[in-house]
Amino acid sequence: MVYFTQFLDKTSLNYASIMGFPVTGQNYNLVSMAFYLGFIVWEFPTVYIAQKLRLGKYLGVNIIVWGVVLLCHAFANSFQAFFALRFILGMCESCVSPILISIISMFYRKNEQGIRIAYFYTMLGFTQVFGGFIAYGISFYNGGAMAPYKIVYYLLGSLAILVGVITLVWLPDSPVNARMLTKEERIASLERVRDDQGGTENRKFKKEQVIEALLDIRTWLIVLATMLTDIPSGGLTNFSNIIIRNFGYTTRQTLILATPAGIVNLISVVICGYYSDKKGERMLPVIYATLPTLLGVALMIGFNNSGQKGVLLFGSYLIGSFGSTLSIIYAYNASNTSGYTKKLTINALTMIFFCVGNIIGTEIFQPKDAPAYIPGKAAIMVLLSMQIGVAYLLRRINVKLNIKRRAMIEEIKREKGWTDDDVQKEKERRAFADMTDKQNVFFQYVN
């Protein structure tokens, strides 16, 4: 529900853009950008605050506040007001992914995390379909009381407040204080993730774990992979409806015809998430999900001005496949990072550069390039081609680290005369010691 609400809110501007939204041109790009500026400014403070408080409660309050902010969009009339509201909205939503990824990693094993995070990201596809049909229905509104886009914000704001209240009351922070579990079930929940060496919630901020995260080359490769995903995403999130309308469709036709891309996204997320856990892979699904998108963009460039609207539309649908890459990146973080402060730091950096990518993305489709936006589409092809190389490199590094770890464990067994049972006991002793993956030789990375 939280991700459904967030994605629906995040894409609300895309629907509003063709439903009488009063801000257009370069100012529309800036309003799109404001959300991510707020996200960046507040990401590290919100992660720090979240570590000191109960995660579920803090998240619930933020959702309620962003619901109120969405309602305020219906009363704004100027560029300045919309910019400020989008900035605050970004601040409120910046806590969602770090908190939910942390909770997932405390409740589920590594081979269960990919599909669980993928379930979150299926909501991106659902919102494209759900939001498209809702916006289509609203487009028939002919009353003079308010512009159609305002109805969108009334509905989404009310929904966010409802979800925030539900989250505040029922979302558990960790297995330790999950009220829906008995005492025995809480202990069992902790024991089942012990062997992953991932740890659980720890409210002590550890500076040394922050430093380790910043010095880890994989951190910056993940940051780069995130940007290479989110520059295209930032442009398409806010311009996909405009691009489809420019194929030669009406506004109402566009709202309906844009929805299959959401179904493609949903299918891609589920398949990649399942494969990720089933095969113990994280980066191969990123490569597989990127290839159809490259084909889709190539079709839109190659068939531009051909008059073949069906081919152009098919290309726009294929683009939905790469939406699963970000969920796999989040699963990579959850499965390959230990140490509570380090995990929050890497998640925060990922989200900051998620925003940087989206900010840049809002500028790749320039008004001067309308209606085909060929330079923006070409930029997407270059960026996603680079993404394939980065994904391969990340996988290669983890494979080598695991080989080195296994050799180190064998060396320890020889030096200390340990049996496999002794190794298991030591693993269990370290499981909840809040050690980082670098400090804990028994931690195994997921490729």
Side-chain angles (χ1 to χ4, degrees), residues 222-239:
I222 278 293
V223 161
L224 178 57
T226 303
M227 284 189 62
L228 292 173
T229 296
D230 285 301
I231 293 174
S233 177
L236 293 169
T237 296
N238 294 295
F239 284 87

Side-chain angles (χ1 to χ4, degrees), residues 246 366-373:
N246 288 343
Q366 288 290 313
K368 65 182 177 61
D369 298 324
Y373 298 107

Side-chain angles (χ1 to χ4, degrees), residues 197-443:
Q197 306 289 298
T200 187
E201 185 179 27
N202 189 308
R203 295 187 182 177
K204 182 180 179 182
F205 182 82
K206 297 182 178 180
K207 181 181 177 181
E208 65 275 13
Q209 292 193 10
V210 176
I211 294 171
E212 182 179 315
L214 296 176
L215 295 178
D216 191 335
I217 183 63
R218 294 175 309 124
T219 299
W220 299 107
L221 287 173
I222 278 293
V223 161
L224 178 57
T226 303
M227 284 189 62
L228 292 173
T229 296
D230 285 301
I231 293 174
S233 177
L236 293 169
T237 296
N238 294 295
F239 284 87
S240 60
N241 281 351
I242 294 173
I243 290 170
I244 291 175
R245 186 177 62 183
N246 288 343
F247 292 160
Y249 295 105
T250 66
T251 295
R252 284 179 184 166
Q253 288 172 332
T254 298
L255 290 169
I256 292 296
L257 291 173
T259 56
I263 297 172
V264 172
N265 176 276
L266 191 157
I267 293 170
S268 174
V269 167
V270 172
I271 291 174
C272 288
Y274 175 80
Y275 179 89
S276 175
D277 283 347
K278 186 74 173 176
K279 300 295 184 180
E281 293 281 354
R282 292 293 184 256
M283 289 296 108
L284 284 182
V286 169
I287 295 172
Y288 297 154
T290 302
L291 294 175
T293 298
L294 286 172
L295 175 60
V297 178
L299 287 173
M300 288 199 295
I301 294 174
F303 283 84
N304 182 51
N305 293 327
S306 68
Q308 298 187 45
K309 294 196 291 185
V311 176
L312 294 170
L313 202 57
F314 178 70
S316 74
Y317 294 159
L318 287 178
I319 288 176
S321 70
F322 93 108
S324 61
T325 59
L326 195 59
S327 70
I328 300 299
I329 288 172
Y330 290 162
Y332 179 97
N333 286 351
S335 303
N336 288 296
T337 312
S338 184
Y340 194 68
T341 302
K342 182 178 180 181
K343 188 173 293 186
L344 287 176
T345 301
I346 290 176
N347 286 338
L349 282 169
T350 301
M351 296 313 300
I352 285 173
F353 283 90
F354 157 86
C355 293
V356 172
N358 275 281
I359 288 172
I360 297 170
T362 62
E363 296 299 313
I364 65 172
F365 293 114
Q366 288 290 313
K368 65 182 177 61
D369 298 324
Y373 298 107
I374 296 298
K377 293 170 185 174
I380 289 174
M381 291 197 70
V382 172
L383 293 166
L384 293 182
S385 297
M386 292 172 62
Q387 172 75 293
I388 292 173
V390 173
Y392 175 79
L393 181 57
L394 274 165
R395 185 181 186 278
R396 182 80 173 166
I397 290 171
N398 274 8
V399 168
K400 288 189 173 183
L401 285 173
N402 283 337
I403 293 172
K404 185 177 180 181
R405 288 286 172 96
R406 287 191 287 269
M408 291 171 67
I409 292 170
E410 290 302 317
E411 182 65 25
I412 291 171
K413 287 170 68 177
R414 283 194 297 270
E415 288 180 357
K416 298 188 177 184
W418 281 2
T419 65
D420 288 340
D421 287 340
D422 294 324
V423 170
Q424 185 61 33
K425 288 177 183 177
E426 182 64 14
K427 287 176 68 175
E428 291 176 357
R429 187 185 70 80
R430 298 187 184 195
F432 300 120
D434 198 36
M435 299 175 71
T436 67
D437 51 278
K438 186 176 181 180
Q439 294 167 339
N440 187 354
V441 70
F442 299 105
F443 188 96

